[in-house]
Amino acid sequence: MTKRPRRPAAARAHRPASPPADHRPAVLRTGALAVLATLLLTASTGQPRPAAAALGPARPPARTAPALHRLVGDGIPGAAALSTRDGYRAARFSTAGVADLRNGRTMRPQDHFRAGSLTKPLVATVVLQLAAEHRLALHDSAAAHLPPGLPVTGPGSGSDLRRVTIRQLLDHTSGLFNYTDDPRLAKKLFGTGFGAHRYDRHTPAELLRTALRHPPAAAPGARYSYSNTNYLVLGLVIRAVTGHPYAAEIRRRLLVPAGLGHTSFPGTVPALPRPHGRAYAHIGDRRVDATSLDPSWAGAAGEMVTTLGDLNRFFSALLGGRLLAPRQMAQIRDEKHTGGTYGLGLYATELPCGVTVWGHNGEINGSHARTAATADGRHVLSYRVNTDTHSAAVPDTAVLTAEFCARRDGRAGQP
């Protein structure tokens, strides 16, 4: 197996930790969703549904439940996963632990949560659609497609959006400083200042100025360096090219065609849509309820709110070729400029059994989520926990291996 680099996350890059050898017992529940063809892979095609008998077994195998159990045993309050596969009439939903430590309620399939950097594949898809429409080109300068009045260079920092291309924003080779790593801002977003500043409002222009004040991490095109600034800028590019906010374009181009009725971009609204559980983060040695916050600091880099079902629908439609033309589908998977680390909004993960899955992860205060799928989008897993990796270890690969590396006979191998 090729060794993978650190996986990206919405707020900051993080190093996944291995779970301890011993595990405490946890509540575990597994059930089926009543989401037939609308949640399966033919949901947005508009084709007639086949007869139930032709669709095969009712649910995919229960593979991720033990992995969720281990996560909760390692100190995570709650975890949930949704698996969808061609040939099964319904998805399989599994959960462990609790969604709310106050009343002990479990996670539900319909629960909304903050998805962090899982916003990025949707932003990238819209940008690639605009490229297919010849409204921009991937080799264009980012500065050429920004709304008037926005800064394009920093005061003596060396950061210069005139030298950065759209492609370099998409695959994180721009070298732009990651604005969420600014020490003063990071203290407010994730540190001891969170309680006092969780409802602060931020504008993209303000956040861009924060990034441009810092020297670049590398020269444009020199190397991969994950930065939320890249997708902050892409959100501004979409607005300048289309005349509409990036969230409006995502709704029109992606959410409506793919049937994602439970995904939203809250802007400055701090509350989650109902139903939802709680989100927990650690500030110092205290566990803090981080459910309510102003997500404007995340913007196009990670403000999305969604459900497990909508994530599965989106990645099934994307990888199934229903949202991008073949040329753009090849581009979104193109990792050559990052040495096999990251495409143009997606990245591949090779699992211990040799299976390669495509997707993204996301993180924001008190929430971590991951979606992975086979290259054709016919087998999709989305899972989430109600904490972040700065509060507890979240071994993504262990969950993905449980789902994608077991054959029907229970042994490791190609699913």
Side-chain angles (χ1 to χ4, degrees):
M1 182 182 81
T2 302
K3 186 177 180 181
R4 298 293 302 172
R6 291 194 303 181
R7 291 187 293 275
R12 298 173 287 183
H14 63 273
R15 288 184 293 274
S18 299
D22 57 331
H23 304 284
R24 296 186 299 276
V27 177
L28 177 64
R29 292 178 174 83
T30 303
L33 287 176
V35 284
L36 302 178
T38 55
L39 188 55
L40 293 173
L41 306 179
T42 55
S44 61
T45 63
Q47 299 300 315
R49 286 184 286 182
L55 288 173
R59 293 181 290 165
R63 293 175 175 168
T64 59
L68 301 183
H69 188 157
R70 289 190 290 271
L71 289 178
V72 173
D74 289 339
I76 288 172
L82 182 71
S83 173
T84 53
R85 292 183 64 177
D86 261 6
Y88 292 87
R89 299 198 303 275
R92 179 177 287 277
F93 176 75
S94 302
T95 185
V98 298
D100 191 329
L101 291 169
R102 302 171 305 177
N103 57 26
R105 97 154 170 89
T106 58
M107 288 184 173
R108 300 168 184 165
Q110 304 87 359
D111 280 350
H112 297 82
F113 57 91
R114 302 188 192 279
S117 275
L118 278 159
T119 309
K120 289 179 171 70
L122 283 78
V123 171
T125 300
V126 170
V127 172
L128 289 170
Q129 287 182 348
L130 294 172
E133 296 163 9
H134 305 291
R135 300 175 73 176
L136 55 78
L138 299 187
H139 60 261
D140 287 350
S141 160
H145 294 292
L146 286 179
L150 286 175
V152 296
T153 62
S157 68
S159 295
D160 189 344
L161 285 167
R162 296 171 298 185
R163 299 173 55 218
V164 171
T165 67
I166 300 296
R167 176 186 288 276
Q168 290 165 353
L169 296 174
L170 286 165
D171 69 5
H172 297 288
T173 59
S174 71
L176 292 171
F177 178 82
N178 183 8
Y179 70 89
T180 56
D181 286 341
D182 176 81
R184 290 183 62 187
L185 182 60
K187 183 178 180 179
K188 296 177 181 179
L189 298 180
F190 319 112
T192 56
F194 174 73
H197 295 280
R198 64 193 298 166
Y199 298 117
D200 288 359
R201 293 190 176 187
H202 301 272
T203 67
E206 165 207 331
L207 298 171
L208 180 57
R209 290 188 183 93
T210 297
L212 294 177
R213 283 198 295 267
H214 292 267
R223 63 180 176 86
Y224 170 83
S225 180
Y226 189 84
S227 174
N228 290 305
T229 306
N230 293 318
Y231 279 74
L232 175 81
V233 174
L234 287 170
L236 294 168
V237 167
I238 292 171
R239 188 175 82 187
V241 171
T242 66
H244 305 123
Y246 87 92
E249 285 296 309
I250 288 178
R251 279 191 290 271
R252 182 175 72 86
R253 293 169 174 267
L254 306 180
L255 303 191
V256 173
L260 309 185
H262 304 286
T263 297
S264 61
F265 300 87
T268 60
V269 177
L272 287 172
R274 293 183 178 180
H276 66 82
R278 315 302 298 175
Y280 299 101
H282 275 92
I283 306 296
D285 59 354
R286 295 188 306 114
R287 174 178 271 165
V288 175
D289 188 324
T291 308
S292 178
L293 55 84
D294 187 315
S296 57
W297 65 266
E303 72 165 301
M304 184 171 71
V305 171
T306 190
T307 63
L308 293 175
D310 270 15
L311 287 176
N312 281 26
R313 289 186 188 94
F314 170 73
F315 279 90
S316 172
L318 175 63
L319 294 169
R322 300 198 294 275
L323 299 176
L324 291 174
R327 181 182 181 187
Q328 282 68 42
M329 279 303 302
Q331 290 172 332
I332 203 170
R333 301 177 197 266
D334 184 359
E335 297 181 325
K336 66 184 178 183
H337 295 281
T338 65
T341 300
Y342 196 92
L344 306 189
L346 290 179
Y347 62 93
T349 299
E350 185 180 351
L351 300 175
C353 59
V355 172
T356 296
V357 291
W358 288 85
H360 211 286
N361 71 340
E363 186 162 307
I364 195 168
N365 310 73
S367 179
H368 176 86
R370 178 79 184 265
T371 300
T374 52
D376 57 8
R378 297 176 69 181
H379 181 182
V380 188
L381 173 77
S382 292
Y383 96 95
R384 58 171 290 239
V385 297
N386 54 356
T387 192
D388 50 60
T389 56
H390 308 292
S391 302
V394 185
D396 275 333
T397 301
V399 180
L400 303 188
T401 299
E403 175 68 20
F404 292 98
C405 288
R407 296 200 307 242
R408 291 181 187 275
D409 59 10
R411 293 178 294 172
Q414 179 74 37

